[in-house]
């Protein structure tokens, strides 16, 4: 037996959802997506880094929305160097909560740093012009 046939056998044993259940799940996801409110940001769409071992791997670039060639760079490898402290008695829910809170704090810091860099760039290179906003979900 191969891993694929083992996996196929396992999938065959699982209960299969009905068409009605699948449709209800898709419909619920659609309604949730429609209910979500968009946010506005001055942070441009990032240029994602190449894969490791490329020398630029881990470097996310946020280019100027006006196309002047400037870009703010964030090194994702150094973004979160603080050690993670987990209680030995922590269950999966508590561990998940700790990681979510950590990610939210880190997101606020990174967004602030990127927005500050963009505002500084516009003040220096595009004097008198505000950074354009874009809608994100």
């Amino acid at each position: 037996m191969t891993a694929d046939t083992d996996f196929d056998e396992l999938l065959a044993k699982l209960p299969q959802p009905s068409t009605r259940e699948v449709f209800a799940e898709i419909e619920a996801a659609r309604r949730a997506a429609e209910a979500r409110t968009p946010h506005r940001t001055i942070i441009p769409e990032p240029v994602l880094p190449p894969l490791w071992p490329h020398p630029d791997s881990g470097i996310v670039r946020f280019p100027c929305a006006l196309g002047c060639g400037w870009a703010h760079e964030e090194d994702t490898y150094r973004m979160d160097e603080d050690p993670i402290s987990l209680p030995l008695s922590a269950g999966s829910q508590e561990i998940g909560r700790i990681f979510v809170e950590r990610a939210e704090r880190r997101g606020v810091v990174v967004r602030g740093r990127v927005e500050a860099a963009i505002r500084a760039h516009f003040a220096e290179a595009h004097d008198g012009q505000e950074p354009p906003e874009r809608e994100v979900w």
Side-chain angles (χ1 to χ4, degrees), residues 59-112:
I59 306 295
V60 177
R61 289 179 176 80
F62 297 89
C64 177
L66 301 181
C68 71
W70 174 88
H72 173 72
E73 296 181 349
E74 287 285 328
D75 185 348
T76 60
Y77 294 146
R78 294 191 178 178
M79 201 176 276
D80 192 23
E81 293 179 327
D82 296 333
I84 298 172
S85 178
L86 298 171
L88 292 174
S89 62
S92 61
Q93 287 185 336
E94 186 176 2
I95 291 170
R97 179 189 56 76
I98 290 169
F99 276 95
V100 166
E101 288 173 359
R102 181 183 176 92
E104 287 173 350
R105 284 192 307 270
R106 188 175 64 227
V108 168
V109 169
V110 171
R111 274 191 300 278

Side-chain angles (χ1 to χ4, degrees), residues 9-28:
E9 287 177 20
L10 179 62
L11 284 177
K13 292 178 185 177
L14 293 174
Q16 299 299 313
S18 69
T19 305
R20 183 178 305 249
E21 290 169 328
V22 170
F23 178 74
E25 187 176 335
I26 292 170
E27 187 62 22

Side-chain angles (χ1 to χ4, degrees), residues 40-45 62-68 70 114-135:
R40 301 202 58 79
T41 183
I42 64 167
I43 299 175
E45 195 71 38
F62 297 89
C64 177
L66 301 181
C68 71
W70 174 88
V114 173
E115 286 176 353
I118 291 168
R119 290 190 192 286
H121 166 69
F122 267 77
E124 183 180 308
H126 307 292
D127 192 29
Q129 188 169 3
E130 287 294 314
E133 290 185 346
R134 68 183 181 96
E135 211 169 73

